[in-house]
Amino acid sequence: MNVRKGPYYADVGDFSSAGSVAIEYLNKLPKNLAEVTVGSFGYRRGVAAGSTAVGRGHDARGDRGYQIRWAVGRTGQRAEINGVLRYSQGTATDGLTLTAMAYSNGWNSTDQVAQRAIDQGIIGRFRLT
């Protein structure tokens, strides 16, 4: 990861008004890993990453998922899953790299609706009207 702070960098264009971050993925991981974390308020998180030799190249993958539940007046829930699959072969100057990414996020929070909108009948309590 290459992080640069500052007002402007010409090589990243208009998107560097406060700085920039360039993320580079590994083609091969030094070792496989798996981790599970459990915390308060129903927090659960799992991470797995690894790489194997496939043909003349390497397959690197990483998956992460977590779920958070909490109660503040009403219950809310958030679940997220994301993954990266990468295949590389050869060198940086004479090689091939294919990368696929997936992301899914779900959010359920019943306390994010303005009470006045329900009271005025603009929206229903559990769905749009």
Side-chain angles (χ1 to χ4, degrees):
M1 186 179 305
N2 183 12
V3 179
R4 296 189 293 180
K5 292 173 64 176
Y8 181 76
Y9 292 98
D11 59 333
V12 290
D14 295 341
F15 299 109
S16 67
S17 62
S20 66
V21 176
I23 300 173
E24 294 183 24
Y25 290 94
L26 295 174
N27 291 333
K28 181 181 177 185
L29 298 174
K31 64 179 184 174
N32 297 338
L33 69 95
E35 180 181 294
V36 175
T37 307
V38 178
S40 57
F41 304 107
Y43 177 83
R44 296 186 303 255
R45 176 179 173 260
V47 177
S51 60
T52 58
V54 176
R56 294 187 296 156
H58 288 90
D59 171 31
R61 67 188 70 152
D63 302 299
R64 178 181 69 138
Y66 66 87
Q67 182 173 3
I68 304 171
R69 293 182 183 170
W70 66 94
V72 181
R74 298 181 181 141
T75 59
Q77 180 174 320
R78 177 178 181 216
E80 177 181 310
I81 298 172
N82 57 41
V84 176
L85 180 62
R86 185 174 177 95
Y87 176 79
S88 62
Q89 176 178 311
T91 65
T93 57
D94 184 23
L96 163 74
T97 302
L98 300 171
T99 305
M101 298 180 184
Y103 177 79
S104 177
N105 185 4
W107 177 269
N108 177 17
S109 181
T110 59
D111 64 343
Q112 300 298 312
V113 176
Q115 184 65 45
R116 67 181 178 279
I118 296 171
D119 294 341
Q120 295 172 5
I122 296 170
I123 60 174
R125 180 179 166 128
F126 298 109
R127 62 183 173 84
L128 296 174
T129 56

